[in-house]
Amino acid sequence: MTTNRSSEELAMRDLIEAWGRRRWPGARVVHELVVADCRIDMAFISADHLAGVEIKSSRDVMTRLDRQIETFREHLPEVWLAYAPRWLPVLGYDGGNRRLGSGIGHIIVSDAVDEMIPFSATSRRGYPRKAVIDEMITSKMLNLLWRDEAFAIAQRTGAVKVNSRSSLQAMKPALARALTGGQIVREVCRSLRDRDAFWKADQPMGEAA
């Protein structure tokens, strides 16, 4: 599974994983979470919060990035972009140019994780580009679920009547109407913390039974 991933990207993943474990203690770390028609490189899933990190090594290309970030921001409450120093002039601030909006957290990854983004690629001055948590993203998180996960949520909460023929596309809007925003976030996180189908991940938490 690592044949298409450079040694640089794998090293970046290790650094970001360590950074994320410090930032979100107790979160389940998973690699390659499907988000709509995209896939985010890493996710940190707490009991009531979900943060995603998209990784761009120096060997990556940026042709799909705008679409990826747009999709991630529609479905995840907190989104970070982690990239090699090569991409600073394109993705950070450099000569006054700004990319991807103010809600995205930026981190530079070389031999360490740096949350301070210089004003230019050669300047030592910097400022934090923290991710802004979007508390309004709730119902869209239901798109992260598989059919069996949505079915289990409906049964567990008793919010929606379901049977063996209930489809995912029918259950999602019903759950969106029946559950509060907080319930949706907690139930989706609970399902993802227990899913056993990632390329690489912590062991399932065993919470969704």
Side-chain angles (χ1 to χ4, degrees):
M1 294 296 293
T2 63
T3 55
N4 293 325
R5 297 180 176 90
S6 67
S7 58
E8 178 193 7
E9 179 188 335
L10 294 174
M12 290 175 72
R13 285 177 182 266
D14 288 342
L15 289 167
I16 294 162
E17 181 174 329
W19 166 82
R21 289 188 189 280
R22 293 190 298 270
R23 190 174 188 87
W24 298 286
R28 185 187 185 198
V29 181
V30 304
H31 295 249
E32 308 296 341
L33 173 66
V34 174
V35 181
D37 59 350
C38 297
R39 189 186 303 263
I40 198 161
D41 289 309
M42 193 175 298
F44 297 86
I45 309 165
S46 302
D48 58 358
H49 185 58
L50 173 57
V53 183
E54 178 63 14
I55 302 169
K56 296 298 181 184
S57 73
S58 61
R59 297 179 59 182
D60 276 311
V61 295
M62 298 295 159
T63 53
R64 298 183 301 120
L65 183 61
D66 290 316
R67 173 60 183 149
Q68 288 174 311
I69 293 299
E70 179 183 359
T71 300
F72 300 151
R73 285 295 285 167
E74 287 178 354
H75 295 86
L76 307 179
E78 184 172 356
V79 179
W80 291 79
L81 180 60
Y83 48 93
R86 171 189 176 184
W87 300 115
L88 178 59
V90 178
L91 301 176
Y93 276 86
D94 189 37
N97 295 321
R98 186 172 184 171
R99 214 36 220 279
L100 302 175
S102 59
I104 304 300
H106 285 229
I107 49 179
I108 303 294
V109 184
S110 52
D111 56 351
V113 174
D114 186 0
E115 295 180 31
M116 298 299 291
I117 309 302
F119 285 109
S120 72
T122 58
S123 172
R124 291 187 178 181
R125 297 176 300 166
Y127 60 95
R129 285 291 301 276
K130 306 287 187 182
V132 177
I133 298 174
D134 190 344
E135 302 286 359
M136 299 294 289
I137 294 178
T138 54
S139 61
K140 283 281 190 178
M141 292 179 67
L142 292 166
N143 288 328
L144 302 174
L145 295 174
W146 292 348
R147 189 265 175 194
D148 287 349
E149 293 167 342
F151 186 84
I153 290 171
Q155 288 192 312
R156 185 163 57 241
T157 62
V160 177
K161 292 183 178 180
V162 292
N163 57 50
S164 60
R165 293 179 294 178
S166 299
S167 70
L168 176 60
Q169 295 310 313
M171 286 187 285
K172 286 191 297 184
L175 289 170
R177 291 190 298 269
L179 299 177
T180 68
Q183 285 177 307
I184 290 172
V185 174
R186 289 190 295 272
E187 291 295 339
V188 170
C189 288
R190 182 175 179 176
S191 297
L192 295 177
R193 281 162 69 88
D194 200 47
R195 183 183 291 177
D196 187 18
F198 295 104
W199 162 57
K200 180 181 177 183
D202 294 342
Q203 289 296 312
M205 300 291 196
E207 299 170 336

